[in-house]
Amino acid sequence: MTNTAMFSLEGKTAIVTGANTGIGQAIAVGLASAGAKVACVGRSDMTETFEKIGAPARCLEVRADLATLEPIDHIVEAVTEWSGSIDILVNNAGIIRRADALDFTEEDWDAVMDVNLKSVFFLSQAVVRTMVPRGQGKIINIASLLSFQGGIRIPSYTASKSGVAGLTKLLACEWAPKGINVNAVAPGYIETNNTLALRNDPDRNKAILERIPAGNWGQAPDIAGAVTFLASGAANYVHGITLPVDGGWLAR
Ligand code: NAP
């Protein structure tokens, strides 16, 4: 394999959840630029992502609210009907709820766990059932620094993202023998809707920036390269890792 061929996704079909904005949109654009057809799954319009990809024939929009498991069968059927098979699944969709642990509600606990962890498991299960007969496939979960650290005021988010790192390892152990790679990418502090509240708080913003060795917040496309690597043949022997892309935060 040449260096370029090693990272090529030509002929592959990827699903990216939450692809209308932020990190998911950047991942969809990155996978498409490496040659993949991309099914953009989420509850919002994907027009902006399709425009950034610039090749509508290689994009599919599947509307789905991943707060429940109800749309999962439809997602798999729609993408399979469109492209014949699914090679890559990026579980990116996620939410965060902020409150002190003493005040945290059951609603905020369940809402975050359902999208960030429960749907990740059951969508992966449904997609991998189609991959097993072909003996190949890549699952990439979007984890977080809160897969490694505790944080404050985000108990369900930390529980869900720590769960994502654990689940990534378990699924890698079960599915590696079947030819499926399961890995995760842990973004550091990235400028998206998810982190608007932090960036608007001058004290938190200053404290965060002072701790990042690279000296700046990350941008969504910074995550796309790591995901493209894990989706490609270059990562065929990589199983069960959670790869930080964090400007050096965890090294500090
Ligand atoms: P974002 O801009 O808020 O994007 C979140 C995405 O998830 C949106 O596309 C959103 O769709 C989708 N989503 C949320 N709930 C959904 C549901 N019920 N059904 C379907 N889609 C749903 O945030 P982001 O920063 O790009 O986050 C992407 C991922 O990266 C998340 O898993 C997040 O936890 C993780 N992450 C982000 C950072 C960071 O610093 N930004 C750091 C670590 C990890 P709508 O637009 O329709 O709501």
Side-chain angles (χ1 to χ4, degrees):
M1 266 196 290
T2 65
N3 279 344
T4 314
M6 196 184 282
F7 296 100
S8 172
L9 301 180
E10 214 58 61
K12 305 289 185 188
T13 297
I15 293 176
V16 182
T17 66
N20 58 299
T21 186
I23 291 171
Q25 181 179 72
I27 290 169
V29 172
L31 296 179
S33 75
K37 289 169 69 177
V38 184
C40 297
V41 173
R43 56 187 179 179
S44 297
D45 182 78
M46 299 291 168
T47 304
E48 188 181 285
T49 305
F50 286 15
E51 284 170 3
K52 284 179 186 264
I53 290 173
R58 291 204 289 121
C59 305
L60 176 74
E61 174 178 304
V62 182
R63 285 291 174 100
D65 183 346
L66 292 166
T68 75
L69 305 184
E70 188 269 325
I72 285 179
D73 288 346
H74 169 66
I75 295 167
V76 175
E77 281 163 20
V79 180
T80 307
E81 189 181 328
W82 174 59
S83 74
S85 59
I86 304 165
D87 302 287
I88 299 155
L89 167 65
V90 183
N91 286 305
N92 164 79
I95 58 171
I96 193 164
R97 299 277 172 90
R98 297 177 196 278
D100 292 344
L102 285 174
D103 303 323
F104 212 76
T105 64
E106 184 178 2
E107 198 278 327
D108 281 346
W109 180 270
D110 287 343
V112 171
M113 295 298 279
D114 284 349
V115 177
N116 292 14
L117 192 55
K118 188 174 178 182
S119 286
V120 167
F121 173 70
F122 284 101
L123 181 57
S124 301
Q125 180 192 62
V127 168
V128 169
R129 282 175 176 160
T130 74
M131 291 173 165
V132 166
R134 300 170 62 227
Q136 59 177 37
K138 311 276 188 194
I139 308 295
I140 298 130
N141 298 321
I142 301 304
S144 166
L145 295 178
L146 285 316
S147 303
F148 302 97
Q149 301 180 308
I152 51 168
R153 307 192 71 247
I154 45 171
S156 56
Y157 188 80
T158 298
S160 71
K161 293 299 186 177
S162 297
V164 163
L167 188 61
T168 299
K169 288 185 272 194
L170 173 133
L171 295 178
C173 293
E174 288 206 20
W175 292 344
K178 302 180 190 304
I180 317 292
N181 298 74
V182 185
N183 290 292
V185 171
Y189 286 88
I190 312 295
E191 285 188 15
T192 66
N193 299 333
N194 175 294
T195 52
L196 196 57
L198 288 179
R199 284 179 285 119
N200 285 342
D201 178 336
D203 294 335
R204 293 295 306 280
N205 189 41
K206 182 167 179 287
I208 287 166
L209 273 178
E210 280 173 356
R211 204 203 129 135
I212 300 173
N216 56 279
W217 284 73
Q219 303 299 314
D222 292 331
I223 307 306
V227 172
T228 303
F229 158 63
L230 290 172
S232 74
N236 279 349
Y237 199 58
V238 181
H239 292 280
I241 62 155
T242 295
L243 172 62
V245 181
D246 65 352
W249 175 280
L250 287 175
R252 190 71 175 257

